[in-house]
Amino acid sequence: MSTPSPVLPAQAAARIGHYTVIDVRTPGEYASGHVPGAHNVPLDHLRAALPALKAAAARGDLLMVCASGNRSATACGELAAADIPAATLTGGTAAWAEQGHTLHRPEGAARAWAMERQVRLTAGSLVLLGIAAGTRYRPARWLAAGIGGGLVFSALTDTCGMAAVLSKLPHNRPRPDDLTATLTALERGNA
C-alpha cells in the first residue's frame, strides 16, 4: 500500500507540469475555480475512476485537490488502498489562491457555492426552521438540536454527512458525458 504525501502550494506550482491534477470537488465547485489543468473526478465517483487513475498514475504523479485538503486527503487514502500513489495539495484551492496562484474559471460557467458554504446555509436554515416551528409545535425544537448535534459530530470526526447528502443535488453532480470524457482522457494519457 502506498502512503499519500502532502504537497505545499508553492511546491505544487513549481512542479505543476509534472502532475496529473485531479480535483475531487463537486462539478459546481470545480467550475467556480480550479487549479489550471485539473481534471474533475468528484470524490463520490472515485471508486469508479480507479482504472483511469491507475493508468494516469503509471505515467506520472497524481496530485489530488479539493477546497481545503480534507476531501483530497480522503481520496489519497482510497487510492492508497487500491495501491495507487498520490499526493494531496495541502490547504487545497483555498491555500493555492491565498498564495497568489491562479485558479482557472471556465468562461460562462455558473458560480456554485463551495460545499462548506452550502452546508452552512442548509444547517443554519434548518436550525432557524426548528426554532421558529418550535414556538408553535414544541417537538420541532428537536430539529435544531439534531442539526447542532450533527455539527458537533462532524467537527469531532472530521466528516460531514450533510455535505454527502448535498453532493447528491443536481447542481453538484457531474454530467455523465463530462465524467466519461475525463476518465477516457486519463486512461489514454490525453490529460
Side-chain angles (χ1 to χ4, degrees):
M1 185 195 275
S2 58
T3 305
S5 59
V7 176
L8 296 171
Q11 295 169 317
R15 296 193 63 230
I16 200 68
H18 298 305
Y19 289 113
T20 297
V21 182
I22 308 296
D23 192 318
V24 297
R25 297 176 300 159
T26 66
E29 292 176 291
Y30 172 83
S32 69
H34 56 270
V35 173
H39 301 276
N40 187 219
V41 179
L43 185 59
D44 59 345
H45 287 77
L46 199 65
R47 197 169 315 281
L50 288 177
L53 294 171
K54 190 170 199 84
R59 290 187 303 276
D61 296 334
L62 294 182
L63 179 64
M64 309 308 283
V65 178
C66 68
S68 66
N70 289 333
R71 285 179 278 178
S72 60
T74 298
C76 283
E78 288 185 33
L79 292 175
D83 204 28
I84 301 171
T88 181
L89 180 64
T90 303
T93 55
W96 177 269
E98 283 173 10
Q99 292 188 14
H101 305 294
T102 61
L103 291 174
H104 177 75
R105 291 181 176 88
E107 216 172 287
R111 289 258 174 140
W113 285 2
M115 185 57 65
E116 186 259 339
R117 188 174 180 192
Q118 292 179 50
V119 167
R120 284 185 289 155
L121 174 69
T122 303
S125 297
L126 289 172
V127 167
L128 287 175
L129 177 66
I131 291 170
T135 61
R136 289 226 183 248
Y137 181 67
R138 291 184 67 72
R141 295 177 300 159
W142 288 106
L143 175 62
I147 296 299
L151 291 172
V152 170
F153 179 80
S154 176
L156 293 174
T157 62
D158 200 21
T159 61
C160 188
M162 189 175 289
V165 170
L166 291 173
S167 72
K168 306 292 185 210
L169 293 175
H171 67 279
N172 286 325
R173 305 296 304 156
R175 292 191 329 232
D177 292 346
D178 290 346
L179 185 58
T180 299
T182 297
L183 297 180
T184 299
L186 289 169
E187 278 184 356
R188 293 184 180 164
N190 303 340

